[in-house]
Amino acid sequence: MLAQFVLFDGFDPLDVIAPYEVLQFASMLTEGAVQVELVSAEGPRDVPSGLPPLSLKATALLDPERADVIVLPGAAGDVRDPAELSEDEQANAIPAILGRTLETDLPRLAKEALEREDTLVATVCGGSLILAMAGLTEGRPATTHHLGLDVLGATGTIAVDARVVDDGDLITGGGVTSGLDVGLYILEREVGPRVAHKVEKLFEHERRGTVWARRGAAPALAF
């Protein structure tokens, strides 16, 4: 299983590193059956994160034909109301950073991945907003950071206030640290619970919350 972790200008480092480390350690536990790599829509390059600045090196091109799993992070930037920011500061606001990804090849490649029957797309934090703004999640359940749930719902996506949402070929995670939960859930679902449990024990992190999925009995009450 090859998992590609997508980098774009302004990405949030923890959104990437947390699930990356989960699957990287799984590679050792499975004797290489799980493989991970950092990629970008432009191919190999040094990619700067958002605030505070930190660069990671993409070693390959995002390629839905090669990848079994594609993990898309959110952005790191100014979380203040953009209306309160100067013009220069607005460029570092999270909505602006996420919006700039739409001017790259990332939406096309993400669409291609979602259209492939054998590719799983996962997001952490604002990664789901990139897909939503590109019109790729309309009518589908997904989650994001709690500050972005209203924006997610406004795109026609079914916004679910949950730590992790499983919609088949699309898994979405909530706020920044949910990347650990997303990574462990991918590992449990795609590789198996014994490997996922071993990684969970090593990381001393217990997954939080119930993974929401559109199956089983529906609640009779809404509150």
Side-chain angles (χ1 to χ4, degrees), residues 29 59 62 90 103 139 151 154 201:
L29 294 178
T59 60
L62 170 59
Q90 287 179 9
E103 302 169 6
V151 176
K201 295 294 288 183

Side-chain angles (χ1 to χ4, degrees), residues 162-166 171 181 185 207-213 215:
R163 184 78 167 172
V164 178
V165 172
D166 181 346
I171 295 173
D181 301 287
Y185 182 66
R207 276 172 32 202
R208 289 173 47 194
T210 300
V211 175
W212 189 98
R215 58 177 180 265

Side-chain angles (χ1 to χ4, degrees), residues 61-78:
L61 175 71
L62 170 59
D63 187 350
E65 292 189 9
R66 289 183 59 233
D68 301 293
V69 179
I70 292 172
V71 181
L72 182 60
D78 202 317

Side-chain angles (χ1 to χ4, degrees), residues 149-214:
L149 284 171
D150 289 344
V151 176
L152 186 64
T155 67
T157 305
I158 302 170
V160 180
D161 187 7
R163 184 78 167 172
V164 178
V165 172
D166 181 346
D167 193 40
D169 64 347
L170 174 64
I171 295 173
T172 55
V176 186
T177 58
S178 71
L180 287 169
D181 301 287
V182 169
L184 287 166
Y185 182 66
I186 291 172
L187 197 53
E188 178 185 7
R189 203 187 87 166
E190 301 298 312
V191 179
R194 288 184 291 178
V195 172
H197 179 259
K198 183 66 71 174
V199 176
E200 184 181 67
K201 295 294 288 183
L202 175 76
F203 280 34
E204 295 192 355
H205 173 79
E206 295 184 3
R207 276 172 32 202
R208 289 173 47 194
T210 300
V211 175
W212 189 98
R214 192 159 40 180

Side-chain angles (χ1 to χ4, degrees), residues 2-34:
L2 172 62
Q4 290 192 328
F5 291 80
V6 182
L7 305 177
F8 58 83
D9 291 359
F11 71 92
D12 187 304
L14 189 55
D15 287 2
V16 175
I17 294 301
Y20 179 93
E21 282 207 38
V22 167
L23 296 187
Q24 174 61 51
F25 191 73
S27 177
M28 291 185 281
L29 294 178
T30 61
E31 297 182 322
V34 177

